[in-house]
Short mmCIF file of all heavy atoms in Angstrom, two decimals:
data_model
loop_
_atom_site.label_atom_id
_atom_site.label_comp_id
_atom_site.label_asym_id
_atom_site.label_seq_id
_atom_site.Cartn_x
_atom_site.Cartn_y
_atom_site.Cartn_z
N MET A 93 -19.78 -4.02 17.98
CA MET A 93 -18.57 -4.07 18.56
C MET A 93 -17.55 -4.67 17.55
O MET A 93 -17.81 -5.62 16.91
CB MET A 93 -18.50 -4.72 19.92
CG MET A 93 -19.33 -4.10 21.00
SD MET A 93 -18.42 -2.73 21.77
CE MET A 93 -17.12 -3.66 22.68
N THR A 94 -16.29 -4.23 17.67
CA THR A 94 -15.22 -4.78 16.92
C THR A 94 -14.26 -5.36 17.95
O THR A 94 -13.87 -4.69 18.89
CB THR A 94 -14.58 -3.81 15.99
OG1 THR A 94 -15.53 -3.35 15.08
CG2 THR A 94 -13.45 -4.58 15.17
N PHE A 95 -13.93 -6.63 17.77
CA PHE A 95 -13.05 -7.20 18.64
C PHE A 95 -11.79 -7.78 17.89
O PHE A 95 -11.93 -8.20 16.82
CB PHE A 95 -13.61 -8.58 19.30
CG PHE A 95 -15.03 -8.24 20.05
CD1 PHE A 95 -16.09 -8.53 19.59
CD2 PHE A 95 -14.87 -7.51 21.40
CE1 PHE A 95 -17.35 -8.36 20.20
CE2 PHE A 95 -16.13 -7.31 22.05
CZ PHE A 95 -17.37 -7.62 21.48
N LYS A 96 -10.68 -7.74 18.57
CA LYS A 96 -9.45 -8.24 17.95
C LYS A 96 -8.90 -9.22 18.90
O LYS A 96 -8.63 -8.91 20.07
CB LYS A 96 -8.35 -7.08 17.73
CG LYS A 96 -8.53 -6.30 16.47
CD LYS A 96 -7.40 -5.39 16.33
CE LYS A 96 -7.55 -4.34 15.23
NZ LYS A 96 -7.56 -4.74 13.86
N LEU A 97 -8.68 -10.38 18.33
CA LEU A 97 -8.25 -11.44 19.17
C LEU A 97 -6.89 -12.08 18.57
O LEU A 97 -6.89 -12.36 17.34
CB LEU A 97 -9.25 -12.65 19.24
CG LEU A 97 -10.59 -12.27 19.88
CD1 LEU A 97 -11.62 -13.18 19.48
CD2 LEU A 97 -10.48 -12.10 21.42
N LYS A 98 -6.01 -12.35 19.39
CA LYS A 98 -4.68 -13.05 18.92
C LYS A 98 -4.93 -14.57 19.13
O LYS A 98 -5.18 -15.09 20.23
CB LYS A 98 -3.53 -12.57 19.66
CG LYS A 98 -2.26 -13.31 19.34
CD LYS A 98 -1.28 -12.50 18.66
CE LYS A 98 -0.06 -13.24 18.29
NZ LYS A 98 0.90 -12.46 17.62
N VAL A 99 -4.78 -15.34 18.06
CA VAL A 99 -4.98 -16.79 18.01
C VAL A 99 -3.75 -17.51 17.53
O VAL A 99 -3.56 -17.55 16.36
CB VAL A 99 -6.22 -17.18 17.16
CG1 VAL A 99 -6.52 -18.75 17.30
CG2 VAL A 99 -7.44 -16.45 17.63
N PRO A 100 -2.83 -17.68 18.36
CA PRO A 100 -1.40 -18.15 17.93
C PRO A 100 -1.31 -19.33 17.15
O PRO A 100 -0.41 -19.63 16.44
CB PRO A 100 -0.70 -18.32 19.28
CG PRO A 100 -1.48 -17.65 20.40
CD PRO A 100 -2.89 -17.66 19.90
N ASP A 101 -2.34 -20.23 17.27
CA ASP A 101 -2.29 -21.57 16.58
C ASP A 101 -2.72 -21.33 15.06
O ASP A 101 -2.64 -22.39 14.37
CB ASP A 101 -3.34 -22.58 17.22
CG ASP A 101 -3.08 -22.82 18.66
OD1 ASP A 101 -1.90 -22.64 19.04
OD2 ASP A 101 -3.96 -23.21 19.38
N ILE A 102 -3.10 -20.16 14.62
CA ILE A 102 -3.45 -20.00 13.14
C ILE A 102 -2.15 -20.19 12.42
O ILE A 102 -1.22 -19.58 12.55
CB ILE A 102 -3.99 -18.64 12.90
CG1 ILE A 102 -5.45 -18.61 13.53
CG2 ILE A 102 -4.13 -18.39 11.47
CD1 ILE A 102 -5.97 -17.09 13.46
N ALA A 103 -2.11 -21.20 11.45
CA ALA A 103 -0.90 -21.50 10.72
C ALA A 103 -1.11 -21.32 9.16
O ALA A 103 -0.17 -21.14 8.50
CB ALA A 103 -0.53 -22.91 11.08
N CYS A 104 -2.37 -21.45 8.79
CA CYS A 104 -2.60 -21.35 7.31
C CYS A 104 -4.02 -20.85 7.05
O CYS A 104 -4.78 -20.60 7.92
CB CYS A 104 -2.38 -22.72 6.62
SG CYS A 104 -3.63 -23.91 7.25
N GLN A 105 -4.31 -20.69 5.80
CA GLN A 105 -5.67 -20.21 5.30
C GLN A 105 -6.68 -21.28 5.79
O GLN A 105 -7.84 -20.81 6.17
CB GLN A 105 -5.75 -20.12 3.82
CG GLN A 105 -6.94 -19.40 3.35
CD GLN A 105 -7.16 -18.01 3.95
OE1 GLN A 105 -6.11 -17.21 4.12
NE2 GLN A 105 -8.33 -17.67 4.45
N GLY A 106 -6.37 -22.51 5.92
CA GLY A 106 -7.46 -23.52 6.36
C GLY A 106 -7.89 -23.15 7.81
O GLY A 106 -9.01 -23.26 8.13
N CYS A 107 -6.98 -22.74 8.65
CA CYS A 107 -7.19 -22.38 10.14
C CYS A 107 -8.18 -21.15 9.97
O CYS A 107 -9.16 -21.17 10.70
CB CYS A 107 -5.99 -22.02 10.79
SG CYS A 107 -4.76 -23.40 10.89
N ALA A 108 -7.82 -20.24 9.12
CA ALA A 108 -8.58 -18.98 9.08
C ALA A 108 -9.94 -19.27 8.62
O ALA A 108 -10.98 -18.81 9.15
CB ALA A 108 -7.91 -18.12 7.99
N ASP A 109 -10.14 -20.20 7.58
CA ASP A 109 -11.41 -20.63 7.28
C ASP A 109 -12.29 -21.34 8.28
O ASP A 109 -13.54 -21.02 8.41
CB ASP A 109 -11.33 -21.57 5.94
CG ASP A 109 -10.71 -20.92 4.74
OD1 ASP A 109 -10.76 -19.65 4.72
OD2 ASP A 109 -10.40 -21.53 3.78
N THR A 110 -11.76 -22.27 9.08
CA THR A 110 -12.33 -22.91 10.21
C THR A 110 -12.82 -21.88 11.15
O THR A 110 -14.07 -22.04 11.61
CB THR A 110 -11.38 -23.84 10.68
OG1 THR A 110 -10.85 -24.78 9.76
CG2 THR A 110 -12.12 -24.70 11.93
N ILE A 111 -12.09 -20.94 11.46
CA ILE A 111 -12.40 -19.98 12.43
C ILE A 111 -13.48 -19.07 11.87
O ILE A 111 -14.54 -18.73 12.63
CB ILE A 111 -11.23 -19.10 12.97
CG1 ILE A 111 -10.28 -20.00 13.73
CG2 ILE A 111 -11.62 -17.90 13.77
CD1 ILE A 111 -8.92 -19.45 14.12
N THR A 112 -13.33 -18.68 10.75
CA THR A 112 -14.41 -17.77 10.05
C THR A 112 -15.76 -18.53 10.09
O THR A 112 -16.79 -17.92 10.46
CB THR A 112 -14.07 -17.43 8.65
OG1 THR A 112 -12.74 -16.78 8.66
CG2 THR A 112 -15.04 -16.59 7.98
N GLU A 113 -15.74 -19.76 9.73
CA GLU A 113 -17.02 -20.57 9.65
C GLU A 113 -17.62 -20.75 11.08
O GLU A 113 -18.90 -20.67 11.15
CB GLU A 113 -16.64 -22.02 9.05
CG GLU A 113 -16.74 -21.93 7.50
CD GLU A 113 -16.20 -23.29 6.95
OE1 GLU A 113 -16.33 -24.35 7.64
OE2 GLU A 113 -15.61 -23.15 5.89
N SER A 114 -16.79 -20.92 12.10
CA SER A 114 -17.42 -21.14 13.33
C SER A 114 -17.94 -19.84 13.95
O SER A 114 -18.99 -19.92 14.67
CB SER A 114 -16.34 -21.62 14.38
OG SER A 114 -15.30 -20.77 14.55
N LEU A 115 -17.40 -18.68 13.44
CA LEU A 115 -17.99 -17.43 13.96
C LEU A 115 -19.18 -17.09 13.11
O LEU A 115 -20.10 -16.44 13.66
CB LEU A 115 -16.88 -16.31 13.72
CG LEU A 115 -15.67 -16.51 14.76
CD1 LEU A 115 -14.64 -15.37 14.48
CD2 LEU A 115 -16.25 -16.33 16.19
N LEU A 116 -19.23 -17.44 11.85
CA LEU A 116 -20.45 -17.23 11.04
C LEU A 116 -21.58 -18.02 11.50
O LEU A 116 -22.81 -17.60 11.37
CB LEU A 116 -20.15 -17.43 9.53
CG LEU A 116 -19.31 -16.40 9.00
CD1 LEU A 116 -19.02 -16.81 7.45
CD2 LEU A 116 -19.94 -15.02 8.88
N ALA A 117 -21.39 -19.28 11.97
CA ALA A 117 -22.30 -20.14 12.63
C ALA A 117 -22.98 -19.38 13.84
O ALA A 117 -24.24 -19.55 14.10
CB ALA A 117 -21.81 -21.44 12.93
N LEU A 118 -22.20 -18.68 14.52
CA LEU A 118 -22.62 -17.88 15.74
C LEU A 118 -23.51 -16.76 15.27
O LEU A 118 -24.53 -16.48 15.87
CB LEU A 118 -21.45 -17.38 16.45
CG LEU A 118 -21.53 -17.09 17.92
CD1 LEU A 118 -21.82 -18.24 18.72
CD2 LEU A 118 -20.20 -16.56 18.33
N GLU A 119 -23.04 -16.02 14.29
CA GLU A 119 -23.78 -14.87 13.70
C GLU A 119 -23.48 -14.75 12.24
O GLU A 119 -22.51 -14.17 11.87
CB GLU A 119 -23.39 -13.63 14.48
CG GLU A 119 -24.23 -12.49 14.16
CD GLU A 119 -23.69 -11.13 14.60
OE1 GLU A 119 -22.50 -11.07 14.96
OE2 GLU A 119 -24.46 -10.13 14.67
N PRO A 120 -24.48 -15.08 11.42
CA PRO A 120 -24.23 -15.06 10.01
C PRO A 120 -23.91 -13.71 9.43
O PRO A 120 -23.20 -13.68 8.36
CB PRO A 120 -25.60 -15.49 9.40
CG PRO A 120 -26.16 -16.34 10.48
CD PRO A 120 -25.75 -15.68 11.76
N SER A 121 -24.34 -12.64 10.12
CA SER A 121 -23.91 -11.27 9.57
C SER A 121 -22.72 -10.68 10.15
O SER A 121 -22.29 -9.56 9.70
CB SER A 121 -25.17 -10.39 9.81
OG SER A 121 -25.29 -10.24 11.18
N ALA A 122 -21.95 -11.44 10.87
CA ALA A 122 -20.79 -10.89 11.58
C ALA A 122 -19.62 -10.63 10.32
O ALA A 122 -19.72 -11.42 9.37
CB ALA A 122 -20.16 -11.86 12.47
N LYS A 123 -18.84 -9.63 10.64
CA LYS A 123 -17.76 -9.37 9.63
C LYS A 123 -16.47 -9.87 10.27
O LYS A 123 -16.14 -9.52 11.34
CB LYS A 123 -17.70 -7.92 9.33
CG LYS A 123 -18.83 -7.38 8.49
CD LYS A 123 -18.55 -5.99 8.06
CE LYS A 123 -19.72 -5.44 7.30
NZ LYS A 123 -20.00 -4.07 7.66
N ILE A 124 -15.85 -10.90 9.58
CA ILE A 124 -14.67 -11.48 10.16
C ILE A 124 -13.53 -11.35 9.22
O ILE A 124 -13.58 -11.65 8.03
CB ILE A 124 -15.00 -13.00 10.44
CG1 ILE A 124 -16.22 -13.10 11.39
CG2 ILE A 124 -13.79 -13.72 10.97
CD1 ILE A 124 -17.03 -14.24 11.02
N GLN A 125 -12.45 -10.99 9.84
CA GLN A 125 -11.20 -10.96 9.12
C GLN A 125 -10.13 -11.69 9.86
O GLN A 125 -9.90 -11.49 11.04
CB GLN A 125 -10.67 -9.44 9.05
CG GLN A 125 -10.72 -8.87 7.64
CD GLN A 125 -10.08 -7.52 7.65
OE1 GLN A 125 -10.33 -6.67 8.53
NE2 GLN A 125 -9.21 -7.24 6.70
N VAL A 126 -9.38 -12.65 9.18
CA VAL A 126 -8.36 -13.36 9.82
C VAL A 126 -7.02 -13.09 9.01
O VAL A 126 -6.96 -13.36 7.81
CB VAL A 126 -8.64 -14.95 9.81
CG1 VAL A 126 -7.51 -15.59 10.52
CG2 VAL A 126 -10.03 -15.21 10.49
N ASP A 127 -6.15 -12.55 9.69
CA ASP A 127 -4.83 -12.19 9.21
C ASP A 127 -3.91 -13.42 9.51
O ASP A 127 -3.50 -13.42 10.79
CB ASP A 127 -4.32 -10.88 9.65
CG ASP A 127 -3.11 -10.42 8.88
OD1 ASP A 127 -3.24 -10.26 7.64
OD2 ASP A 127 -1.98 -10.28 9.41
N VAL A 128 -3.57 -14.18 8.63
CA VAL A 128 -2.70 -15.42 8.99
C VAL A 128 -1.33 -15.06 9.46
O VAL A 128 -0.95 -15.53 10.43
CB VAL A 128 -2.66 -16.43 7.71
CG1 VAL A 128 -1.77 -17.55 8.08
CG2 VAL A 128 -4.09 -16.87 7.39
N PRO A 129 -0.54 -14.12 8.74
CA PRO A 129 0.84 -13.79 9.20
C PRO A 129 0.81 -13.25 10.66
O PRO A 129 1.74 -13.65 11.43
CB PRO A 129 1.25 -12.66 8.24
CG PRO A 129 0.39 -12.88 7.02
CD PRO A 129 -0.92 -13.37 7.48
N THR A 130 -0.11 -12.34 11.06
CA THR A 130 -0.05 -11.90 12.37
C THR A 130 -0.86 -12.65 13.32
O THR A 130 -0.93 -12.34 14.60
CB THR A 130 -0.57 -10.41 12.42
OG1 THR A 130 -1.90 -10.38 11.92
CG2 THR A 130 0.29 -9.57 11.54
N LYS A 131 -1.76 -13.56 12.84
CA LYS A 131 -2.60 -14.47 13.65
C LYS A 131 -3.60 -13.74 14.49
O LYS A 131 -4.01 -14.00 15.59
CB LYS A 131 -1.71 -15.35 14.63
CG LYS A 131 -0.59 -16.18 13.79
CD LYS A 131 0.28 -16.97 14.77
CE LYS A 131 1.44 -17.46 14.13
NZ LYS A 131 1.25 -18.26 13.05
N ILE A 132 -4.04 -12.58 13.89
CA ILE A 132 -5.14 -11.72 14.47
C ILE A 132 -6.40 -11.92 13.74
O ILE A 132 -6.54 -11.89 12.57
CB ILE A 132 -4.67 -10.22 14.38
CG1 ILE A 132 -3.27 -9.96 15.12
CG2 ILE A 132 -5.79 -9.26 15.02
CD1 ILE A 132 -3.32 -9.74 16.49
N VAL A 133 -7.38 -12.21 14.60
CA VAL A 133 -8.80 -12.34 14.18
C VAL A 133 -9.54 -11.14 14.55
O VAL A 133 -9.56 -10.75 15.76
CB VAL A 133 -9.49 -13.54 14.75
CG1 VAL A 133 -10.95 -13.79 14.32
CG2 VAL A 133 -8.65 -14.83 14.53
N THR A 134 -10.03 -10.47 13.54
CA THR A 134 -10.85 -9.14 13.80
C THR A 134 -12.34 -9.56 13.55
O THR A 134 -12.67 -10.13 12.47
CB THR A 134 -10.44 -8.06 12.89
OG1 THR A 134 -9.01 -7.84 13.03
CG2 THR A 134 -11.16 -6.78 13.22
N VAL A 135 -13.17 -9.36 14.61
CA VAL A 135 -14.62 -9.74 14.45
C VAL A 135 -15.47 -8.49 14.77
O VAL A 135 -15.28 -7.91 15.68
CB VAL A 135 -14.95 -10.86 15.52
CG1 VAL A 135 -16.36 -11.36 15.26
CG2 VAL A 135 -13.93 -11.98 15.51
N GLU A 136 -16.27 -8.18 13.79
CA GLU A 136 -17.29 -7.10 13.97
C GLU A 136 -18.54 -7.83 14.08
O GLU A 136 -19.20 -8.51 13.22
CB GLU A 136 -17.25 -6.18 12.69
CG GLU A 136 -17.88 -4.79 13.01
CD GLU A 136 -17.95 -3.91 11.70
OE1 GLU A 136 -17.01 -4.00 10.97
OE2 GLU A 136 -18.97 -3.32 11.57
N SER A 137 -19.15 -7.77 15.32
CA SER A 137 -20.29 -8.58 15.62
C SER A 137 -21.08 -7.94 16.82
O SER A 137 -20.68 -7.12 17.52
CB SER A 137 -19.69 -9.89 16.13
OG SER A 137 -20.71 -10.75 16.56
N THR A 138 -22.23 -8.44 16.93
CA THR A 138 -23.15 -7.99 18.10
C THR A 138 -23.04 -9.16 19.16
O THR A 138 -23.67 -8.87 20.19
CB THR A 138 -24.64 -7.84 17.62
OG1 THR A 138 -25.12 -9.10 17.05
CG2 THR A 138 -24.77 -6.75 16.58
N VAL A 139 -22.34 -10.17 18.86
CA VAL A 139 -22.28 -11.31 19.82
C VAL A 139 -21.20 -10.75 20.96
O VAL A 139 -20.22 -10.17 20.66
CB VAL A 139 -21.95 -12.60 19.16
CG1 VAL A 139 -21.54 -13.77 20.11
CG2 VAL A 139 -22.85 -12.93 18.09
N SER A 140 -21.39 -11.36 22.15
CA SER A 140 -20.47 -10.89 23.18
C SER A 140 -19.12 -11.50 23.00
O SER A 140 -18.91 -12.58 22.36
CB SER A 140 -20.98 -11.44 24.48
OG SER A 140 -20.95 -12.81 24.71
N LEU A 141 -18.14 -10.83 23.59
CA LEU A 141 -16.69 -11.32 23.47
C LEU A 141 -16.67 -12.75 23.98
O LEU A 141 -15.87 -13.57 23.36
CB LEU A 141 -15.74 -10.31 24.14
CG LEU A 141 -14.21 -10.65 24.12
CD1 LEU A 141 -13.79 -10.73 22.79
CD2 LEU A 141 -13.48 -9.65 24.89
N GLU A 142 -17.28 -12.99 25.07
CA GLU A 142 -17.19 -14.33 25.63
C GLU A 142 -17.59 -15.32 24.66
O GLU A 142 -17.01 -16.36 24.58
CB GLU A 142 -18.06 -14.26 26.93
CG GLU A 142 -17.50 -14.96 28.12
CD GLU A 142 -15.96 -14.95 28.25
OE1 GLU A 142 -15.28 -13.90 28.42
OE2 GLU A 142 -15.44 -16.10 28.03
N ASN A 143 -18.82 -15.13 23.94
CA ASN A 143 -19.23 -16.12 23.03
C ASN A 143 -18.41 -16.34 21.82
O ASN A 143 -18.23 -17.47 21.30
CB ASN A 143 -20.66 -15.69 22.56
CG ASN A 143 -21.74 -15.94 23.65
OD1 ASN A 143 -21.51 -16.65 24.67
ND2 ASN A 143 -22.94 -15.35 23.46
N ILE A 144 -17.71 -15.15 21.47
CA ILE A 144 -16.78 -15.28 20.29
C ILE A 144 -15.62 -16.22 20.69
O ILE A 144 -15.19 -17.01 19.97
CB ILE A 144 -16.42 -13.80 19.88
CG1 ILE A 144 -17.53 -13.13 19.19
CG2 ILE A 144 -15.15 -13.83 18.99
CD1 ILE A 144 -17.31 -11.54 19.04
N LYS A 145 -15.02 -15.86 21.89
CA LYS A 145 -13.95 -16.72 22.37
C LYS A 145 -14.33 -18.18 22.47
O LYS A 145 -13.54 -19.00 22.00
CB LYS A 145 -13.50 -16.18 23.67
CG LYS A 145 -12.69 -14.88 23.72
CD LYS A 145 -12.26 -14.54 25.16
CE LYS A 145 -11.47 -13.37 25.22
NZ LYS A 145 -11.01 -12.97 26.54
N GLN A 146 -15.51 -18.34 22.87
CA GLN A 146 -15.94 -19.71 23.09
C GLN A 146 -16.11 -20.55 21.72
O GLN A 146 -15.65 -21.67 21.59
CB GLN A 146 -17.39 -19.81 23.81
CG GLN A 146 -17.54 -21.20 24.37
CD GLN A 146 -16.58 -21.72 25.41
OE1 GLN A 146 -16.12 -20.93 26.33
NE2 GLN A 146 -15.97 -22.89 25.17
N ALA A 147 -16.52 -19.75 20.78
CA ALA A 147 -16.69 -20.38 19.41
C ALA A 147 -15.33 -20.68 18.83
O ALA A 147 -15.13 -21.81 18.19
CB ALA A 147 -17.46 -19.38 18.39
N ILE A 148 -14.37 -19.81 19.14
CA ILE A 148 -12.93 -20.11 18.60
C ILE A 148 -12.39 -21.23 19.30
O ILE A 148 -11.67 -22.18 18.64
CB ILE A 148 -12.14 -18.76 18.63
CG1 ILE A 148 -12.68 -17.78 17.81
CG2 ILE A 148 -10.68 -19.12 18.35
CD1 ILE A 148 -11.98 -16.45 17.98
N ILE A 149 -12.60 -21.34 20.53
CA ILE A 149 -12.06 -22.44 21.43
C ILE A 149 -12.74 -23.81 20.91
O ILE A 149 -12.03 -24.74 20.82
CB ILE A 149 -12.27 -22.14 22.94
CG1 ILE A 149 -11.23 -21.04 23.32
CG2 ILE A 149 -12.05 -23.52 23.70
CD1 ILE A 149 -11.66 -20.38 24.68
N ASN A 150 -14.15 -23.69 20.71
CA ASN A 150 -14.84 -24.93 20.27
C ASN A 150 -14.30 -25.40 18.82
O ASN A 150 -14.41 -26.56 18.55
CB ASN A 150 -16.25 -24.62 20.17
CG ASN A 150 -16.96 -24.55 21.56
OD1 ASN A 150 -16.28 -24.83 22.67
ND2 ASN A 150 -18.15 -24.07 21.64
N ALA A 151 -13.77 -24.44 18.11
CA ALA A 151 -13.25 -24.83 16.81
C ALA A 151 -11.87 -25.46 16.90
O ALA A 151 -11.26 -25.97 15.88
CB ALA A 151 -13.14 -23.61 15.89
N GLY A 152 -11.28 -25.44 18.04
CA GLY A 152 -10.02 -26.18 18.34
C GLY A 152 -8.76 -25.21 18.56
O GLY A 152 -7.76 -25.68 18.46
N TYR A 153 -9.06 -23.97 18.76
CA TYR A 153 -8.03 -23.05 18.79
C TYR A 153 -7.98 -22.25 20.16
O TYR A 153 -8.94 -22.18 20.80
CB TYR A 153 -8.09 -21.90 17.74
CG TYR A 153 -7.97 -22.62 16.29
CD1 TYR A 153 -9.12 -22.94 15.68
CD2 TYR A 153 -6.74 -22.76 15.77
CE1 TYR A 153 -9.07 -23.61 14.47
CE2 TYR A 153 -6.62 -23.33 14.52
CZ TYR A 153 -7.76 -23.83 13.86
OH TYR A 153 -7.58 -24.36 12.65
N GLN A 154 -6.88 -21.85 20.53
CA GLN A 154 -6.58 -21.25 21.82
C GLN A 154 -6.43 -19.74 21.53
O GLN A 154 -5.84 -19.28 20.50
CB GLN A 154 -5.47 -21.83 22.61
CG GLN A 154 -5.74 -23.30 22.94
CD GLN A 154 -4.97 -23.62 24.18
OE1 GLN A 154 -3.66 -23.10 24.42
NE2 GLN A 154 -5.49 -24.53 25.02
N ILE A 155 -6.88 -18.91 22.41
CA ILE A 155 -6.70 -17.47 22.32
C ILE A 155 -5.66 -16.96 23.41
O ILE A 155 -5.57 -17.40 24.51
CB ILE A 155 -8.07 -16.76 22.58
CG1 ILE A 155 -9.07 -17.14 21.53
CG2 ILE A 155 -7.86 -15.31 22.71
CD1 ILE A 155 -10.48 -17.13 22.04
N GLU A 156 -4.76 -16.18 22.84
CA GLU A 156 -3.64 -15.66 23.67
C GLU A 156 -4.29 -14.64 24.69
O GLU A 156 -5.04 -13.70 24.25
CB GLU A 156 -2.69 -15.05 22.83
CG GLU A 156 -1.34 -14.76 23.57
CD GLU A 156 -0.29 -14.38 22.55
OE1 GLU A 156 0.37 -15.36 22.02
OE2 GLU A 156 -0.05 -13.16 22.42
CU1 CU B 477 -4.07 -24.19 9.12
#
């Protein structure tokens, strides 16, 4: 499944890296794209949307 999530707190590449790492910890083979200007995280993963959201929240970010 491919999920698109808006994470308004993303401000820089450091935020993008933190979110990417937390999602890779969840599923190492996930494909993750973080677009800093639009603050959109695209995740291609077999993990449920709920778990993806939780990983982003645990990394310290809120999802819109
Ligand atoms: Cu940042």
Side-chain angles (χ1 to χ4, degrees):
M93 290 279 291
T94 301
F95 304 105
K96 276 186 195 284
L97 299 161
K98 173 113 181 181
V99 184
D101 298 337
I102 293 173
C104 68
Q105 191 57 43
C107 302
D109 292 345
T110 303
I111 289 171
T112 300
E113 278 167 29
S114 67
L115 293 172
L116 286 177
L118 203 62
E119 187 189 20
S121 61
K123 286 188 188 139
I124 299 141
Q125 249 189 312
V126 181
D127 190 63
V128 176
T130 60
K131 306 177 194 301
I132 300 279
V133 180
T134 306
V135 187
E136 199 182 319
S137 173
T138 59
V139 174
S140 76
L141 179 60
E142 224 25 69
N143 287 345
I144 289 168
K145 282 182 174 176
Q146 199 55 55
I148 294 173
I149 290 165
N150 289 347
Y153 296 93
Q154 296 203 327
I155 295 149
E156 191 172 276

